[in-house]
Amino acid sequence: MFINAGLIFLLRKGSGSEYRINLVIQPIRDVIISATVIGIAFVFISILFLFLIKWDKNMMVVLAGVLISFGTGRQIFASALDTVTSSMNGFLSSWASTLHLLAKSRVESQEWRSIETHAELILFGKHIQYDPPARLGDVRTDIKPKEIYKYLNDHREELGYPYSIADEDNSYIAFAQYATKHLRKKLHIYLQLMELQEKVGGVNTVILIATGTLIWLFS
């Protein structure tokens, strides 16, 4: 059980407010397959180890170990997903906040009001928060259009945007409209993974581990 807890800690350790773009751009199918392989591999190795050392000695301990292994395998699957969803959360929070700042820094128009509204809708997503990149400085007191312009050109490839952004309204609008569509797609994937993560790491997992622990304690 101590080993199980250590593995879960290591899997969760990488999550945080920052994001890793190589995790964000992974197709949802690859993410789920990878998490499944990690979870199943842990369950298989744990059960094999149990049968090798306890098969003929105490079947109740073996049963407890099997239940705990399945429960922990589900937790590891959920934790592997958490590594990806944490990066996606940081990505969505950062870029939606940046788009919102960009819209605020431009001359008010119907296009920019629409972009600002779309950015706010993304920020209303589950656990998404207003979190502009630190590189843009203290945006609460001072929005710096030149810093936003430089940041967009330096990081536009994270959104798969192939064109350089010119310091003019039409170029900004073209990028912002592309970015909002891209972020909405990522938000949809993020919510799917979050739902799966909560289902797998929920009550059933706790029941498996708790039942196994009780059997082990009374065996």
Side-chain angles (χ1 to χ4, degrees):
M1 284 191 293
F2 292 114
I3 294 172
N4 295 351
L7 284 168
I8 292 170
F9 171 77
L10 289 173
L11 279 168
R12 288 186 178 274
K13 193 176 179 181
S15 63
S17 58
E18 298 297 322
Y19 62 88
R20 294 167 57 188
I21 193 63
N22 61 317
L23 294 178
V24 173
I25 64 176
Q26 291 300 314
I28 186 171
R29 180 173 174 272
D30 292 353
V31 171
I32 293 172
I33 289 174
S34 299
T36 302
V37 169
I38 293 169
I40 290 175
F42 174 83
V43 172
F44 176 78
I45 292 170
S46 297
I47 292 176
L48 179 63
F49 182 73
L50 278 168
F51 274 76
L52 287 174
I53 65 170
K54 285 287 186 180
W55 174 251
D56 291 326
K57 296 179 182 178
N58 191 330
M59 286 302 297
M60 294 301 290
V61 172
V62 172
L63 176 60
V66 168
L67 291 173
I68 292 171
S69 294
F70 272 106
T72 306
R74 289 171 65 102
Q75 273 194 325
I76 288 174
F77 175 87
S79 296
L81 289 183
D82 181 66
T83 303
V84 178
T85 55
S86 292
S87 274
M88 293 189 76
N89 181 288
F91 173 82
L92 289 164
S93 296
S94 178
W95 271 108
S97 302
T98 301
L99 285 179
H100 192 265
L101 279 175
L102 176 63
K104 284 286 190 184
S105 71
R106 307 306 297 172
V107 176
E108 188 173 341
S109 67
Q110 184 177 349
E111 288 90 350
W112 285 116
R113 282 196 297 271
S114 175
I115 291 164
E116 184 179 349
T117 299
H118 280 104
E120 289 172 350
L121 289 173
I122 293 168
L123 288 167
F124 282 130
K126 192 169 189 177
H127 303 312
I128 308 297
Q129 57 187 349
Y130 189 76
D131 187 19
R135 177 175 161 180
L136 298 181
D138 189 357
V139 296
R140 293 171 298 180
T141 58
D142 185 22
I143 298 176
K144 301 174 182 176
K146 288 184 178 179
E147 286 297 325
I148 296 174
Y149 166 71
K150 191 171 188 309
Y151 182 86
L152 296 180
N153 271 303
D154 289 347
H155 295 270
R156 60 185 169 78
E157 291 182 358
E158 291 184 359
L159 302 175
Y161 192 70
Y163 310 109
S164 293
I165 303 164
D167 192 11
E168 56 185 41
D169 212 48
N170 288 339
S171 183
Y172 281 126
I173 288 173
F175 168 78
Q177 289 174 339
Y178 170 92
T180 53
K181 291 179 183 178
H182 184 85
L183 292 180
R184 285 202 302 269
K185 291 177 183 177
K186 286 296 178 186
L187 178 63
H188 180 66
I189 294 171
Y190 166 77
L191 293 174
Q192 285 182 294
L193 291 175
M194 283 290 293
E195 183 180 1
L196 179 59
Q197 179 185 331
E198 289 172 357
K199 284 181 179 178
V200 173
V203 176
N204 290 335
T205 297
V206 175
I207 290 173
L208 281 171
I209 295 174
T211 303
T213 304
L214 287 172
I215 292 173
W216 175 67
L217 288 172
F218 289 106
S219 62

